Amino acid sequence: MQCNALHEAGYDIVVYDNLSNSSHEAINRVSMLIGQPVEFIKGDIRDAESLKKIFSAHHFFGVIHFAGLKAVGESVAKPLLYYNNNVSGTITLLEVMKEHSVKNLVFSSSATVYGDPESLPIDESSKRSCTNPYGQRKLTVEHILEDLAVSDDSWNLIALRYFNPVGAHPSGEIGEDPNDIPNNLMSYIFQVAVGKLDKLIIFGNDCPTVDGTGVRDFIHVTDLAQGHVAALNYLDKQASLNEDSMTQNSVGFLPINLGTGKGTSVLELVSAFLDVSGQAIPYQFTDRRAGDIASRYASADKAKTLLGWQAELLITDMCQDTWRWQSMNPNGYNVS
Ligand code: UDP
């Protein structure tokens, strides 16, 4: 998804991934959609030598850093893995970037850094606090980036805080296909729609929300991808301004929410999914999940003001594109 958006925006890209939770078939499909092969290197973010080789062979403007493990449950069971991959991996990347004087970075952060918000909508100055190791490591990386920006003003570091990404590429060719059991709301709704699960278990109907069910700010992955392009364009514009004026105005550490600014409840999402798929989604209420936040949605003003970006796609688009991807690829990227 991201490669397509960057290619359309005129960027040349190199993809570096250890394929621990992705597939070469996804790269093939991206190449097919953009009409030319994507340069892909299989490697691990913790492998400094491998990174150095790539940075020596290319003249990069910047890096979009997505290389993080992202399962909350796994982060509780394997905290060292999350320190190692998500934190040490980031440090290794930053060291190699520094060595090669590549100082522009867009980092995948998460709305999870806000924990249980004190007020809504959540803007970027809201207090940060996390309760699970996954979120804490996102926060650790944000702290590292902040320290780095203070230590050296030639760094330009944008942390994009994603709200709840859903959807798939509108072609139905690219979508999410995790190795582990998918465990977010949309994937459960889909499994009920295709009969893999009898019913959706809804965690609580007594939240202080529009209908008692949890509220989240769902954002289409196409909009999310455009948000990264806008962030990179912003860094590019800053670099040009500096070149023109021969000054050094660094971006420093810049956190930006990527959300729609609108909350949607679990029941509203179920109803939208029924509308686009025609599949009934039986459900049953149970107790609220331990640690679950009742309501979370973004203030997306900063992204609009600074990056000129705002989400365009609706909940129906998110459901439609998820349904198309899943229906066309019942086994994900496993095409054999
Ligand atoms: N949810 C639910 N049943 C499920 C999965 C999720 O009712 O099987 C609810 C959950 O309580 C929350 C919302 O859906 O209110 C979004 O949950 P998800 O795990 O997708 O995202 P997160 O809570 O991490 O933002």
Side-chain angles (χ1 to χ4, degrees):
M1 292 282 312
Q2 189 59 63
C3 298
N4 295 55
L6 288 165
H7 175 78
E8 277 164 25
Y11 288 97
D12 291 329
I13 44 182
V14 176
V15 177
Y16 184 77
D17 195 321
N18 65 5
L19 298 183
S20 69
N21 197 17
S22 53
S23 149
H24 210 286
E25 176 60 14
I27 308 280
N28 295 341
R29 294 195 185 182
V30 171
S31 300
M32 187 263 291
L33 286 170
I34 66 178
Q36 66 184 64
V38 171
E39 184 170 353
F40 171 69
I41 296 147
K42 186 173 178 197
D44 195 288
I45 193 176
R46 292 161 293 184
D47 183 347
E49 291 316 309
S50 165
L51 286 174
K52 282 179 193 173
K53 251 191 237 159
I54 297 161
F55 275 74
S56 300
H58 296 83
H59 180 70
F60 290 127
F61 167 72
V63 173
I64 303 185
H65 172 23
F66 300 105
L69 299 168
K70 62 182 187 69
V72 173
E74 183 186 51
S75 76
V76 175
K78 300 177 183 170
L80 296 180
L81 179 65
Y82 276 67
Y83 273 99
N84 187 338
N85 191 89
N86 294 12
V87 179
S88 295
T90 301
I91 294 171
T92 303
L93 171 67
L94 291 167
E95 281 170 345
V96 175
M97 287 176 69
K98 185 174 176 207
E99 208 175 300
H100 291 81
S101 301
V102 178
K103 299 284 188 72
N104 297 311
L105 178 86
V106 178
F107 169 63
S108 298
S109 191
S110 166
T112 190
V113 299
Y114 296 119
D116 199 353
E118 282 169 356
S119 62
L120 293 167
I122 308 173
D123 72 26
E124 289 81 354
S125 63
S126 303
K127 207 175 92 206
R128 289 173 292 173
S129 74
C130 302
T131 47
N132 63 69
Y134 160 73
Q136 282 164 354
R137 297 302 70 82
K138 285 284 179 204
L139 198 46
T140 306
V141 172
E142 286 204 1
H143 288 315
I144 291 171
L145 299 181
E146 282 173 289
D147 290 346
L148 199 57
V150 169
S151 74
D152 172 356
D153 67 4
S154 61
W155 284 100
N156 305 295
L157 306 162
I158 297 185
L160 295 178
R161 294 179 179 152
Y162 308 166
F163 279 67
N164 286 58
V166 289
H169 192 270
S171 65
E173 295 289 347
I174 318 172
E176 195 183 19
D177 179 25
N179 290 340
D180 47 2
I181 302 157
N183 61 4
N184 61 32
L185 175 60
M186 186 64 110
S187 57
Y188 279 117
I189 292 178
F190 169 75
Q191 289 178 59
V192 176
V194 296
K196 282 190 190 164
L197 291 175
D198 297 347
K199 56 185 178 242
L200 176 72
I201 304 295
I202 299 183
F203 301 126
N205 60 350
D206 57 353
C207 303
T209 62
V210 59
D211 54 24
T213 63
V215 163
R216 293 292 182 275
D217 186 340
F218 298 99
I219 173 170
H220 197 297
V221 287
T222 296
D223 279 328
L224 203 70
Q226 291 303 337
H228 290 74
V229 172
L232 217 49
N233 288 346
Y234 178 80
L235 294 178
D236 188 35
K237 203 170 79 194
Q238 296 303 312
S240 305
L241 287 176
N242 283 341
E243 235 168 68
D244 291 349
S245 64
M246 307 281 280
T247 53
Q248 177 63 60
N249 289 312
S250 84
V251 171
F253 172 73
L254 183 60
I256 299 184
N257 289 342
L258 289 187
T260 64
K262 185 180 174 307
T264 299
S265 75
V266 174
L267 284 178
E268 286 168 341
L269 189 63
V270 165
S271 156
F273 200 92
L274 166 65
D275 287 347
V276 305
S277 69
Q279 305 295 314
I281 312 290
Y283 58 81
Q284 183 186 328
F285 293 115
T286 187
D287 292 344
R288 283 171 72 173
R289 218 165 35 173
D292 233 354
I293 289 149
S295 192
R296 184 175 73 198
Y297 53 92
S299 158
D301 294 349
K302 191 170 173 187
K304 191 172 179 192
T305 313
L306 277 187
L307 308 183
W309 171 93
Q310 64 182 345
E312 305 286 347
L313 297 168
L314 305 174
I315 286 289
T316 44
D317 302 307
M318 303 176 207
C319 294
Q320 185 76 65
D321 291 336
T322 302
W323 182 237
R324 186 182 300 108
W325 151 251
Q326 301 275 14
S327 310
M328 284 171 61
N329 304 273
N331 300 316
Y333 291 115
N334 191 353
V335 286
S336 56

